[in-house]
Amino acid sequence: MIPFTPPTAYVRLPISSPPSESSTAYSPCSSRSSSPQTQSYLLKSSPLAYPMSSSSKRFRIRPIQAFIILSILLVVSLPLLHYRREEVKGYFQSNYIKTDISQKHIPPPSGGLSEHLKIPLTLEARLNHLLAKPALWQWEMELQNRHQCPFYTFSRNTYFFHDGKPEQWEKVSPTEIRRYRSKMIDYLRTVEREGGKLVWDDSMERDIPLEDRRGIILTGGEGKSLARLKINLHMLRNILRTTLPIEVYHFPDELQDANERAKLVQEYDIRLKEVNGKAPDGKSWLIKNSAFLASNFTEFVYMDSDNIPLVDPRTLFDSIEYQQSGSVFWADLNKDHPDNAIFRIVGKTCTDEHWPAEAGQMLFDKRGNSGLNLAILHLSNHMMTNPDMYGFLSYGDKDTFRFSFYALGLPYQQAPKIFATTGGYQTQNGESSLDFCGHSMIQWGLTPLSARHDPSYHPPPAFLHTILAKHRQNLQPSKLFSHIKRPRLDGIAEPLLVRTLYEFTGDCFALTLKGPDGAPDAENSMRDGQGVDMYPLKDVLNDGHVWKEVERLSEDFVKINQN
C-alpha cells in the first residue's frame, strides 16, 4: 500500500498584493539575479501543505568576525578559569558531570554561622558578634523556639534533667543574658592574662614528636572506675592492637599505690597524668576538660572509663566526618527543650537538626576552625567550673561543648548514626524476662573515605558505653550484651526517627515504634521503611575476635559490680 501524501495546491499571487499574515510564503527564486518574470510568481501552500523554510538567506561569518567573538569570550572566561581552575580541570578530565548527590548520607557540620553574615573566623570577631546579639525575654523567643523544637517530637518533657527547670529558665532576664556573655569573655581574658593560649598555633607542638601529637585520652583512677578502665586498656592494647599513645588522667587523691601505677604503665604502655579540679560534691566531670587542656595531643579520642572500644580509634581520624570540621560528637537519646534559656544566652534558635552530645566519647582536633577549637575547650571549662550559672542549663559536661560551639558560631560534626540500645532479656535485677531491657549504648563508627559515594554504607559498632549497666547488680553475664535494638533507618538527620522514640524508663532504654511497621510486607504497613530491628550482638560484630572478647569480659564486668 502506498502511504498517503497530502497534496500541495499552488495558486498564483499577484505581486501588487502582499501576502496575508496568516499565509506562509516561500520564494525559491528570491535572489538578486532573479528575473522580474520569475519574481512575478509566488507559491502559496494550502493548509494541507508541509511547512517550508521561512528564508533562503544564508548567514555567513567572516574570519575577522569569528576572531573578535572568540577573543571576547576568552577574556570573559579567564577569571572563571583562574579562580575555579581545579573544578574546570576535573571537569575536562572526567567524562561525566560530578554532583554531590551520592554524599547526601554524610551529615554536614552543625552549629556554624551563616556565610552571608561574613563574620571573620577570628576570636575577636566571634566574641563581638556574641555581644551584639539581642538579649531577649523568654516570651520573645518562645514561639520561634517551640516551632523549631516542637514538643510533639522526641523526648523533651520526659527527660529527667528538665524536671522543674522551665520556671528557672523563664526568670533569666535580658540583663542576666548580658552578664552571662560578659562572664564568658572575662574568663577567656583571664586565661590569656595568666599565659594561656586561646587560639591554637604551630608553636604549641613545635617540641612535640610527630608520633605524640595524636592519641587517646582516658580518665579514672579509683575503685570500680579503675577496674572498668583496665577492661578498656585490655581491649585497646591486646584485642584491637592500637598503637596510638594513651594518656590516663586522674585526680591527686587517686592512684597513690606505686605498685599499681607501675603495673598499669608496664602492662598497657600508658602515661599516667595528674590534674586538679575535682568538684566539691565529688563529681569527676571536670577532669575531662582539665585533661584536654593539659594534654600535649593536638588530636585526640576521648573515652569514659565505662566505655568499651570495639574498633581501633586510629581509624576514626581518617573519617569524612572528622576531616570536615575537626570534631565529632555522638548523639544522646533526648532532644533539647525549646524553653532552655541557654539558647537566648548564646543567641541561637533551638533546632531539631542538633542532638545533645553523649560525651562518653568524642573526637577532637585543637587546630580545628582555624585554631578556635582550643577556645571551645576553654569556654567549656568555664561552663563546667561555674555550676551556679550553668548547672540548670546543662547536664554535667555533655552539653557544655556544644553550647560553646554555639556561643562562638563555630561548626562541629555529629556522628552519622543514632545509637542502638544494648542489653538482654533480663530485668535490671538480673531476673530472666521475656522483655528486652537495654542498659547500654552501641555508638556506631564513622564514614571512611572509601564509602564517600556509598549511601548504603553503615558503620560498624565503635563503642559500647555501659551507661546504665555499671549501676546494675546481679546481672546474668550471658545476657549482659546479647542483643541490640535499633531504628531500621537510623541516620542522624533521618526525618523518620520521629517514629522511633528513645526513652529512659528508669530501668532501661526503651525504643518504641510509633505507628505500624514501615516494611512493605508488614501488616497494615506505613510503607515508609521505618521500624525497629533486633539483632544478636555477635551477628553485628560478625562473630569475630572482638565479639568473643566482649562475651568473655562480660563475666569480669558483672564481678566489678558485685564488689
Side-chain angles (χ1 to χ4, degrees), residues 61-344:
I61 185 168
R62 298 178 181 178
I64 185 64
Q65 292 174 319
F67 176 77
I68 293 173
I69 292 173
L70 289 175
S71 299
I72 293 173
L73 289 174
L74 182 60
V75 170
V76 172
S77 303
L78 276 176
L80 173 66
L81 293 174
H82 174 71
Y83 290 109
R84 306 189 70 175
R85 55 187 179 277
E86 292 300 325
E87 294 183 24
V88 174
K89 178 181 177 182
Y91 176 81
F92 284 108
Q93 286 180 342
S94 63
N95 57 4
Y96 62 92
I97 298 176
K98 296 181 179 179
T99 67
D100 289 332
I101 294 177
S102 63
Q103 298 183 49
K104 294 292 185 181
H105 60 293
I106 302 171
S110 305
L113 296 177
S114 176
E115 292 185 0
H116 82 276
L117 295 175
K118 300 186 184 302
I119 307 299
L121 199 55
T122 64
L123 185 57
E124 289 297 328
R126 296 301 165 125
L127 293 177
N128 287 334
H129 181 66
L130 175 64
L131 290 176
K133 290 180 179 180
L136 305 173
W137 286 98
Q138 191 268 342
W139 63 267
E140 294 177 290
M141 286 284 288
E142 182 178 85
L143 186 61
Q144 186 176 3
N145 281 337
R146 292 190 180 190
H147 174 72
Q148 294 284 93
C149 297
F151 285 114
Y152 57 81
T153 60
F154 302 105
S155 298
R156 303 185 198 278
N157 290 327
T158 57
Y159 185 27
F160 68 92
F161 167 69
H162 293 159
D163 292 344
K165 299 296 171 61
E167 294 79 8
Q168 293 178 269
W169 295 333
E170 187 175 1
K171 293 177 182 178
V172 177
S173 67
T175 300
E176 282 290 290
I177 289 173
R178 296 187 186 95
R179 184 177 74 89
Y180 269 93
R181 295 173 183 174
S182 296
K183 289 286 186 180
M184 291 182 195
I185 296 174
D186 290 344
Y187 177 82
L188 295 178
R189 295 295 175 243
T190 300
V191 171
E192 209 167 32
R193 284 195 301 270
E194 294 177 353
K197 286 196 172 184
L198 299 175
V199 182
W200 190 93
D201 62 64
D202 292 342
S203 67
M204 300 183 69
E205 62 178 13
R206 184 176 301 147
D207 300 325
I208 308 298
L210 186 62
E211 62 273 14
D212 286 341
R213 297 177 184 178
R214 173 185 284 181
I216 300 170
I217 294 178
L218 299 171
T219 57
E222 63 180 354
K224 295 179 181 180
S225 175
L226 179 58
R228 287 188 286 266
L229 178 65
K230 291 178 181 178
I231 291 178
N232 291 4
L233 292 172
H234 165 70
M235 288 292 295
L236 287 168
R237 290 301 194 209
N238 302 329
I239 306 303
L240 303 174
R241 303 289 182 182
T242 186
T243 58
L244 285 173
I246 299 176
E247 293 180 345
V248 175
Y249 286 81
H250 63 91
F251 290 124
D253 60 343
E254 300 172 341
L255 272 176
Q256 295 300 302
D257 189 314
N259 292 331
E260 182 71 41
R261 294 173 63 89
K263 184 178 179 181
L264 283 172
V265 171
Q266 182 177 1
E267 186 172 353
Y268 300 114
D269 185 24
I270 64 173
R271 304 163 191 169
L272 292 173
K273 303 276 187 175
E274 185 179 293
V275 290
N276 295 308
K278 181 179 286 189
D281 60 359
K283 295 289 186 181
S284 59
W285 289 330
L286 302 180
I287 197 172
K288 290 186 183 181
N289 250 19
S290 298
F292 301 161
L293 292 169
S295 176
N296 286 328
F297 294 149
T298 301
E299 304 173 83
F300 60 85
V301 178
Y302 169 77
M303 289 180 288
D304 279 349
S305 61
D306 62 340
N307 200 350
I308 302 171
L310 301 175
V311 299
D312 183 353
R314 180 184 291 276
T315 62
L316 302 176
F317 291 107
D318 298 325
S319 66
I320 296 174
E321 289 84 5
Y322 177 67
Q323 294 182 10
Q324 282 188 146
S325 66
S327 63
V328 180
F329 294 85
W330 279 259
D332 206 350
L333 75 162
N334 297 103
K335 284 278 194 167
D336 289 316
H337 195 294
D339 295 342
N340 193 334
I342 191 65
F343 295 110
R344 291 185 285 131

Side-chain angles (χ1 to χ4, degrees), residues 4-24:
F4 172 75
T5 302
T8 303
Y10 299 98
V11 296
R12 177 179 295 177
L13 295 176
I15 297 177
S16 59
S17 302
S20 63
E21 292 180 0
S22 61
S23 66
T24 302

Side-chain angles (χ1 to χ4, degrees), residues 500-539:
T500 50
L501 298 184
Y502 282 102
E503 294 178 297
F504 173 54
T505 65
D507 297 332
C508 314
F509 289 137
L511 177 57
T512 307
L513 175 64
K514 301 297 183 181
D517 196 293
D521 56 348
E523 183 180 355
N524 194 31
S525 173
M526 289 280 283
R527 295 192 175 276
D528 60 2
Q530 186 58 300
V532 173
D533 292 331
M534 181 83 75
Y535 299 100
L537 182 56
K538 71 174 182 179
D539 291 349

